[in-house]
Amino acid sequence: MRVLLIGANGYLGRFVADRLLADPAVQLTALGRGDDSDVRFDLASGSPGALTRFLDAVHPGVVINCAGATRGGARELTRHNTVAVATICEALRRSGCGARLVQLGCGAEYGPSQPGSSTAEDAVPRPGGPYGVSKLAATELVLGSGLDAVVLRVFSPAGPGTPAGSPLGRLAEAMRRAMQAGDGELKLGGLGVQRDFVDVRDVARAVHAASLSAAQGIVNIGAGRAVRLRDAAAVLARVAGYGGALHELDQVPVRAVIGHPRAEGEHGAPAAYPYPDGCGSWQQADVRTARDRLGWRPRINLEESLADIWMEAACRI
């Protein structure tokens, strides 16, 4: 099976590439903006015609899109998350390769959900920020393309390679600094948020399974269990061997981030989006579709994911 992987050098793409390379039946070609890609191509600025010619030359059976942006303004997010996917869909429609498309979406497309509930694929999406909007637009393009396609809505990925700017990445960095400075207490804000964390290696397994399946439409990929960030912090402290006290800052403004003190004059200041991902205080995936249609279940627990996050944070100089 010849697979074209787009975004192989990204956070999720690296693990998807490793998973596919371990399958002897897969012939993998990586396309991306970096010099280490097999083929250099910028989806946000490249033409569908150029990508079509490449598809006709390589003739993949599956195209997997792990590329995209998680940070930036609305214009940048739209270019990399929506326009890029429009280019892929148009190129696949023009091409004679007949490839299946596996698109990586995200839980932010759903937006806030009712605390205690599990979000299924038929939930009405109401993204609470520009990132979720740009990813939802990409999903709608894929679903309306007429292609053989599946969108995996990945909730909150965790594990090795977790970006330092993510909630768990900031948490690990704050703890590393506290231990390095010998601080006996760590004051953190925003720990009441609950998210469905799924290990990146489990995500890679889901992508592999989706590429081999006949599933179409939307499939949630998560652990199926919301975890309070406060509880994740306690697990991380145990993994790291941090014996200090964890104090949650009271009445932290919604724009405050973990490990960063409140700026003077910020008290009560409004924020455009109460949570960076636009998902409110709670998110939990209903993952029954992934089990039934992909034969997939998460295998790696959050403690193992946090141990890997801490190992990388502890090695930073």
Side-chain angles (χ1 to χ4, degrees), residues 7-163:
N9 297 320
Y11 172 39
L12 297 178
R14 292 195 299 271
F15 291 93
V16 172
D18 289 344
R19 178 75 186 185
L20 294 172
L21 288 170
D23 183 346
V26 171
Q27 293 179 307
L28 184 65
T29 300
L31 181 148
R33 291 180 291 169
D35 292 334
D36 48 356
S37 299
D38 296 325
V39 178
R40 290 191 64 185
F41 189 84
D42 188 344
L43 289 169
S45 59
S47 70
L51 184 57
T52 299
R53 291 189 291 273
F54 175 73
L55 291 171
D56 287 338
V58 176
H59 214 77
V62 178
V63 174
I64 300 171
N65 181 32
C66 296
T70 58
R71 304 177 70 180
R75 178 178 295 182
E76 183 179 4
L77 291 168
T78 300
R79 284 183 63 243
H80 292 290
N81 294 337
T82 309
V83 174
V85 172
T87 299
I88 295 171
C89 290
E90 181 61 25
L92 283 169
R93 279 196 296 263
R94 296 183 188 182
S95 173
C97 69
R100 172 172 171 76
L101 174 60
V102 179
Q103 162 73 10
L104 265 65
C106 68
E109 295 175 44
Y110 290 116
S113 55
Q114 186 68 27
S117 67
S118 293
T119 304
E121 289 84 355
D122 60 357
V124 176
R126 295 186 178 90
Y131 171 63
V133 169
S134 68
K135 293 294 287 186
L136 176 60
T139 291
E140 295 299 333
L141 286 169
V142 170
L143 297 181
S145 66
L147 300 169
D148 173 15
V150 62
V151 177
L152 303 183
R153 275 188 175 153
V154 179
F155 276 62
S156 297
T162 292

Side-chain angles (χ1 to χ4, degrees), residues 115-242:
S117 67
S118 293
T119 304
E121 289 84 355
D122 60 357
V124 176
R126 295 186 178 90
Y131 171 63
V133 169
S134 68
K135 293 294 287 186
L136 176 60
T139 291
E140 295 299 333
L141 286 169
V142 170
L143 297 181
S145 66
L147 300 169
D148 173 15
V150 62
V151 177
L152 303 183
R153 275 188 175 153
V154 179
F155 276 62
S156 297
T162 292
S166 70
L168 294 180
R170 292 196 301 268
L171 181 61
E173 178 61 16
M175 195 164 293
R176 182 192 70 81
R177 290 180 178 179
M179 294 179 70
Q180 189 175 45
D183 292 341
E185 62 177 12
L186 182 58
K187 296 180 180 180
L188 304 168
L191 297 184
V193 173
Q194 297 183 70
R195 290 291 181 266
D196 189 331
F197 297 107
V198 57
D199 193 273
V200 287
R201 291 156 292 194
D202 281 333
V203 174
R205 287 178 41 248
V207 173
H208 189 200
S211 68
L212 299 173
S213 78
Q216 294 185 335
I218 299 169
V219 180
N220 288 341
I221 303 299
R225 181 174 68 93
V227 175
R228 197 179 302 273
L229 204 54
R230 182 186 306 118
D231 297 331
V235 173
L236 185 64
R238 185 173 70 249
V239 167
Y242 178 66

